[in-house]
Amino acid sequence: GNSVTQMEGPVTLSEEAFLTINCTYTATGYPSLFWYVQYPGEGLQLLLKATKADDKGSNKGFEATYRKETTSFHLEKGSVQVSDSAVYFCALGPGDKIIFGKGTRLHILP
Amino acid sequence: GAGVSQSPSNKVTEKGKDVELRCDPISGHTALYWYRQSLGQGLEFLIYFQGNSAPDKSGLPSDRFSAERTGGSVSTLTIQRTQQEDSAVYLCASSGLAGRYYEQYFGPGTRLTVT
């Protein structure tokens, strides 16, 4: 069946550091891929998405490229800020339901 | 337009009591999901409704959990004989069929505390 695996956290970085959160998936067909973010005390919200191979999703300085050859959708940001501290979820769809990874908690130190 | 709403936002109940959690999806969305998020844990899928199809109940942890969706819109998640391990944030999401996007829109959640 479909599944998503993302790196375990917590990930702790200093402000302005480069961020990578790894996400790999197993799926049949041509899934869409998503990153959701949950800021402290808030609900989940969509951060970015990509619907076909080689698409790059981007938002708020974050990027992720849909790599079918490596079945990956790694999240990257060139210079993180304290305000990026949150839990990040990689997710896979479509299908009869979207599959979420377990989440990666990110702490950014000033 | 209005997003997904959930009520109550917080619920404290005694062990053994039944609780009902409500979700109002975005108007027109055909798919509705319930998840559970325990402290420090990821999202645990509970149940999924899609249109008039039979719901996917594969994530319900026990027969104490049930959900219904009336008229293809509002959904209620019921937990009978609550236990302390049921304490969590219960999230509802909805999505509409828009090509291959299937983006889920989440409600703010209901924080359930079983004492």
Side-chain angles (χ1 to χ4, degrees):
Chain A
N2 294 349
S3 66
V4 173
T5 302
Q6 59 182 108
M7 64 189 291
E8 293 188 16
V11 173
T12 302
L13 296 172
S14 297
E15 204 166 24
E16 299 183 2
F18 184 87
L19 168 71
T20 300
I21 300 177
N22 290 337
C23 172
T24 57
Y25 68 90
T26 302
T28 56
Y30 301 92
S32 296
L33 298 170
F34 308 89
W35 277 100
Y36 281 80
V37 59
Q38 186 176 31
Y39 297 103
E42 298 184 15
L44 272 82
Q45 55 188 276
L46 181 67
L47 179 61
L48 54 83
K49 61 188 176 187
T51 59
K52 60 182 187 295
D54 299 326
D55 266 2
K56 178 184 285 187
S58 61
N59 186 24
K60 299 182 180 181
F62 290 89
E63 293 182 341
T65 301
Y66 187 156
R67 302 286 189 197
K68 191 166 178 65
E69 65 275 14
T70 55
T71 61
S72 65
F73 192 55
H74 304 324
L75 182 67
E76 297 181 335
K77 185 173 185 181
S79 177
V80 293
Q81 305 300 312
V82 172
S83 57
D84 294 326
S85 297
V87 182
Y88 293 81
F89 295 88
C90 185
L92 177 153
D96 52 2
K97 58 182 182 280
I98 290 183
I99 308 297
F100 284 84
K102 293 186 181 296
T104 302
R105 184 173 298 276
L106 176 66
H107 294 291
I108 305 300
L109 304 175
Chain B
V4 178
S5 61
Q6 293 185 245
S7 60
S9 56
N10 282 284
K11 177 72 175 179
V12 180
T13 190
E14 293 180 353
K15 177 181 174 181
K17 300 284 189 182
D18 297 352
V19 295
E20 287 189 350
L21 312 180
R22 178 187 168 103
C23 172
D24 283 88
I26 292 173
S27 178
H29 278 188
T30 59
L32 187 148
Y33 310 77
W34 283 98
Y35 297 90
R36 179 167 69 175
Q37 187 175 29
S38 303
L39 186 63
Q41 302 298 311
L43 286 168
E44 177 186 4
F45 166 78
L46 297 177
I47 188 169
Y48 159 71
F49 297 88
Q50 173 62 281
N52 295 321
S53 302
D56 178 349
K57 304 179 183 180
S58 60
L60 295 178
S62 77
D63 58 8
R64 296 187 295 106
F65 288 72
S66 63
E68 63 177 17
R69 188 177 184 192
T70 55
S73 180
V74 172
S75 177
T76 301
L77 176 70
T78 301
I79 309 173
Q80 296 178 312
R81 305 180 302 281
T82 52
Q83 303 295 313
Q84 288 187 331
E85 60 263 29
D86 299 334
S87 296
V89 176
Y90 289 82
L91 297 170
C92 175
S94 70
S95 67
L97 299 181
R100 299 174 63 246
Y101 287 86
Y102 291 81
E103 175 181 338
Q104 291 192 13
Y105 295 83
F106 281 81
T110 294
R111 181 174 297 278
L112 175 66
T113 303
V114 182
T115 61

